[in-house]
Amino acid sequence: MSEGKPAVERDRQEGLLALAAALRPELHRYCSRLMGSVIDGEDVVQDTFARAFVALDELREVPQLRPWLFRIAHNRALDLLRSRAIRAAEPIEAALEIADEADPVEMLMRRQAVQTAVSRFAELPVPQRSVIILRDVLDEPLADIAALLDITVDAVKAHLARGRARLRRINAEPRPLPDARIASAATVRYVTLFNRRDWDGLRALLADDVRLHQSMHPPRAGAADVGMFFTIYAKSDGLWLRPAWVEGREVIAVFEDRAAAKPSHFMWLEWREGRISFIRDYRYVHYVLDDADLVLAREAGSGGNGRR
């Protein structure tokens, strides 16, 4: 950080940090639906704040942080969507009569959007997806949406009308519930050791170059540093782990205690030659689970569905 303006720089970062805690859940609601994934959405949020901190060093004036952060998040999400080659441009039809004031039909449209599963937003073209999320999920004014997306208010109205119509058709289609799948032997071993509080046994599973990512905390790298992860968890009495699945990815659901009705958060692991090479833990961002379609894994030989 430059020594010529330490007070200004400090104020900028303090302001961003203060706003971050309040804005993260809202940013995640937007990014997860835009990406069609709660996991990818949190990656975008994390990257948004990392980029914002770097950009603050270059800015002479502090921007209006909320729209600025949303713009960074939006652009980052679009970059990722473009890289997947799934972004499709659509012609903008004449704007329909959609006002900022919410009548009963408008309120119904918003409720339908809020209740739509995160993954189903990916079935909308990106422009419609962005407008629907900002308007119907986050309740943003039309003018603010236009400014964020750099389009006209009439274009916002057109995307909103077309997106709502398409979302109604999507929601009218039956969506089969995901089946509870059997957990892998590696995950079962990790969960068993954790629930036994065998911290040394868990540390023995770490690869020498293992990495740990926890939102809102600096990343850790190396078995010695990541081993502290278990020391922190050892201070939390009663935590109970169960294998689970989110978005087709095997994860580990973390319950505050064994009798808890639903998990408080989850984590997932990557393995290499029988050792853990990467841990992604959402302990400090419980909001990621709010929109997650988490299914508890079933034990071998058992049946049924383990949705939380």
Side-chain angles (χ1 to χ4, degrees):
M1 185 177 295
S2 172
E3 296 182 3
K5 45 180 180 179
V8 174
E9 301 266 350
R10 184 170 58 251
D11 288 345
R12 286 173 175 169
Q13 294 216 357
E14 288 178 354
L16 183 60
L17 284 171
L19 190 60
L23 269 185
R24 283 189 82 105
E26 195 173 2
L27 276 169
H28 183 262
R29 293 184 78 191
Y30 178 65
C31 294
S32 62
R33 287 164 173 81
L34 197 58
M35 300 300 298
S37 162
V38 296
I39 291 174
D40 292 345
E42 179 57 21
D43 287 345
V44 173
V45 171
Q46 185 79 354
D47 195 35
T48 294
F49 284 102
R51 290 167 182 252
F53 277 122
V54 172
L56 278 178
D57 284 340
E58 307 298 327
L59 296 175
R60 294 184 178 181
E61 296 183 3
V62 178
Q64 290 185 310
L65 290 178
R66 188 179 187 281
W68 183 58
L69 289 173
F70 264 90
R71 175 61 67 88
I72 295 173
H74 175 81
N75 290 339
R76 179 55 181 154
L78 289 192
D79 285 344
L80 293 174
L81 291 172
R82 288 191 190 100
S83 71
R84 298 177 184 177
I86 65 172
R87 184 170 187 241
E90 289 199 346
I92 298 174
E93 294 179 347
L96 302 183
E97 291 301 320
I98 299 172
D100 269 333
E101 295 76 18
D103 59 22
V105 175
E106 177 93 354
M107 293 304 296
L108 175 62
M109 297 291 188
R110 295 186 188 183
R111 284 197 299 271
Q112 288 177 344
V114 170
Q115 294 167 2
T116 299
V118 166
S119 60
R120 306 216 77 174
F121 279 89
E123 299 177 43
L124 291 173
V126 171
Q128 294 176 15
R129 197 185 316 171
S130 297
V131 170
I132 287 282
I133 300 166
L134 290 167
R135 180 60 176 164
D136 290 347
V137 178
L138 299 178
D139 198 26
E140 292 291 312
L142 297 176
D144 290 357
I145 297 173
L148 172 63
L149 302 182
D150 197 23
I151 59 178
T152 66
V153 171
D154 282 347
V156 170
K157 293 178 180 180
H159 285 312
L160 188 59
R162 299 186 68 190
R164 284 173 171 173
R166 185 172 294 208
L167 200 60
R168 283 197 302 273
R169 294 194 296 271
I170 290 171
N171 285 330
E173 299 170 357
R175 185 171 71 101
L177 297 177
D179 292 329
R181 298 161 62 180
I182 298 174
S184 67
T187 295
V188 170
R189 182 183 180 192
Y190 181 96
V191 167
T192 300
L193 289 171
F194 191 105
N195 290 339
R196 289 176 179 171
R197 302 307 191 254
D198 186 351
W199 310 119
D200 289 337
L202 286 169
R203 292 188 183 95
L205 293 178
L206 299 177
D208 292 339
D209 59 350
V210 63
R211 296 174 296 119
L212 166 67
H213 283 189
Q214 290 178 299
S215 295
M216 303 179 69
H217 286 264
R220 294 176 180 267
D225 195 20
V226 174
M228 295 297 295
F229 174 69
F230 302 116
T231 301
I232 295 170
Y233 265 111
K235 299 176 182 178
S236 300
D237 296 331
L239 289 181
W240 190 257
L241 271 52
R242 289 188 61 182
W245 297 84
V246 170
E247 300 172 356
R249 182 195 296 268
E250 188 172 30
V251 303
I252 297 170
V254 182
F255 294 79
E256 292 298 330
D257 60 68
R258 194 169 185 175
K262 61 181 183 179
S264 62
H265 64 283
F266 65 93
M267 66 178 76
W268 53 270
L269 314 174
E270 290 183 359
W271 298 81
R272 186 180 66 243
E273 298 178 354
R275 307 280 291 279
I276 299 170
S277 59
F278 181 76
I279 302 173
R280 184 68 164 97
D281 180 70
Y282 299 95
R283 179 178 187 178
Y284 301 106
V285 284
H286 289 189
Y287 57 78
V288 174
L289 188 60
D290 291 345
D291 294 315
D293 199 2
L294 184 143
V295 182
L296 295 176
R298 61 184 177 88
E299 297 179 1
S302 68
N305 190 288
R307 288 170 64 86
R308 66 176 177 93

